[in-house]
Amino acid sequence: MPRSDRTNIPELRRTYGVRMTDKPLRWGIMGTGGIAGAFAKDLELTGSGVVAAVGSRTAESAERFADAHGVPTRHSSYEALANDPDVDVVYVATPHPLHHGNARLALEAGKPVLVEKPFTMNAGEARDLVALAKERNLFLMEAMWTRFLPHIRHIRELLPSLGDVVTVAADHGQWFAEDPAFRLFAPELGGGALLDLGIYPVSFASMVLGSPDRVAAMATPAFTGVDAQMSMLFGYPSGAQAVLNCTLSAVSPTTAVIVGTDARIEVDGPFYAPASFRLVPREGERVRYEYVDEGRGLRHQADEVARRLAAGETESPLMPLAETVSIMTTMDQVLNAVE
């Protein structure tokens, strides 16, 4: 629930319920890394789904994950997971370069799919997955979990009160020890700041302003050649601009701001996780909203998948497939614009 620090403003109450069927969704998780474990743990906080199976490239990895998270079925290949008849929906949580192939496996097996961000390595792969999902009439969604957090839903409702948006600014910086084997530094694992960290500010700007018509970028390489830091400037037909940055070399504020002609919204860091924010009018008193959430926040995207599948829908209006393709197109443009 959000809380306002203004006593004369009624507390906002929003309930985003999930229409449940007789049984919760049986999730199959492809991959056994950190984000897969976080998703499995957060799924325990929902009533919409359970982890029924896990698949990995090795039996040992699948066994470790299953034992750690109480998963009843473990597969030593992604193909076996995709074809498991006791799996209702697949969550692809493998390294970035595997997203396209793994998601295709699941779609070709007739399974609805949630694909970890970034959706794919490039826009061409994204378009291919979307076309396949539409051809098979299957649900497909990017796991941009930020979109489904209560504070982001509230921010979207407040956007009309800002007037004309002129600027969006957001950053995402974390520090990682230089290790050539670590995925963020490894080119073969889709390393670099943009794909792993920059996707958050890029997606945030897309949510507010849509697709840019002008893209400028500057990058600093890491010791392995991947981008260690990326600064981006987007221009839009309305005249608005987005100023975005990501780095894997230092801890940044990881905040976001949406500036309009009538008011602005300031989101505390990390803006992409459950966070507080302020509505600051051009004239008048500012309002602060605080959101308290249970878990990491990943459960909300699982609930969204359950909601849409229960309704017989093949995508989410909060993270539509056309926007996912647009975001991957913008990411391609950023990389092509690097001086």
Side-chain angles (χ1 to χ4, degrees):
M1 287 290 187
R3 296 196 303 269
S4 167
D5 64 0
R6 278 179 53 177
T7 56
N8 62 334
I9 295 223
E11 183 181 34
L12 286 154
R13 291 181 173 86
R14 287 170 172 78
T15 302
Y16 301 102
V18 178
R19 196 186 99 202
M20 293 301 300
T21 54
D22 292 338
K23 296 181 180 180
L25 286 177
R26 299 172 298 178
W27 285 87
I29 298 181
M30 281 188 181
T32 56
I35 193 65
F39 181 80
K41 189 173 182 179
D42 266 24
L43 200 58
E44 296 175 5
L45 303 174
T46 76
S48 66
V50 296
V51 183
V54 62
S56 180
R57 286 175 289 188
T58 67
E60 295 77 14
S61 179
E63 291 288 344
R64 282 195 302 271
F65 186 93
D67 289 344
H69 297 282
V71 181
T73 304
R74 54 285 310 260
H75 297 287
S76 58
S77 73
Y78 301 135
E79 292 84 357
L81 177 74
N83 289 287
D84 187 335
D86 294 323
V87 167
D88 299 318
V89 56
V90 170
Y91 169 49
V92 175
T94 50
H96 308 337
L98 301 181
H99 286 183
H100 175 253
N102 289 163
R104 278 198 69 95
L105 273 177
L107 291 169
E108 289 169 350
K111 298 291 198 300
V113 184
L114 174 67
V115 185
E116 186 52 48
K117 53 78 198 161
F119 191 65
T120 50
M121 291 293 290
N122 54 58
E125 291 182 349
R127 284 190 289 268
D128 179 70
L129 289 182
V130 170
L132 179 59
K134 291 183 181 298
E135 174 189 321
R136 302 292 179 94
N137 195 34
L138 290 168
F139 179 89
L140 179 64
M141 190 178 86
E142 178 185 2
M144 177 45 73
W145 55 286
T146 303
R147 287 292 176 97
F148 312 103
L149 295 174
H151 81 287
I152 293 295
R153 290 176 180 259
H154 188 185
I155 286 171
R156 294 182 79 158
E157 293 172 0
L158 291 172
L159 288 178
S161 68
L162 303 185
D164 297 326
V165 174
V166 297
T167 307
V168 170
D171 73 284
H172 187 184
Q174 298 186 38
W175 179 88
F176 298 96
E178 293 188 346
D179 177 359
F182 180 53
R183 64 181 182 83
L184 262 70
F185 291 109
E188 68 276 13
L189 295 179
L194 179 65
L195 283 175
D196 204 86
L197 307 179
I199 184 67
Y200 286 103
V202 170
S203 184
F204 186 82
S206 174
M207 180 187 76
V208 179
L209 292 171
S211 301
D213 60 358
R214 290 157 291 158
V215 173
M218 181 178 294
T220 300
F223 69 102
T224 57
V226 302
D227 56 293
Q229 178 166 232
M230 185 77 72
S231 293
M232 299 159 273
L233 179 62
F234 297 168
Y236 299 84
S238 66
Q241 298 180 3
V243 183
L244 314 173
N245 175 266
C246 59
T247 179
L248 48 76
S249 302
V251 178
S252 70
T254 312
T255 56
V257 61
I258 307 168
V259 182
T261 52
D262 295 332
R264 70 178 185 271
I265 290 173
E266 301 171 343
V267 192
D268 293 334
F271 74 88
Y272 60 84
S276 57
F277 70 91
R278 291 164 299 283
L279 176 64
V280 185
R282 188 176 67 245
E283 297 178 352
E285 188 178 355
R286 67 177 57 199
V287 185
R288 178 180 175 84
Y289 299 99
E290 295 182 352
Y291 277 83
V292 179
D293 205 3
E294 190 177 10
R296 284 273 303 275
L298 300 176
R299 64 189 177 93
H300 298 289
Q301 65 181 356
D303 284 342
E304 175 70 1
V305 174
R307 243 189 314 270
R308 300 305 163 190
L309 290 178
E313 299 172 7
T314 56
E315 62 181 295
S316 167
L318 297 178
M319 191 67 252
L321 293 173
E323 186 181 0
T324 288
V325 172
S326 172
I327 289 169
M328 292 312 306
T329 300
T330 299
M331 301 278 274
D332 288 351
Q333 292 172 333
V334 168
L335 290 172
N336 291 333
V338 171
E339 299 178 356

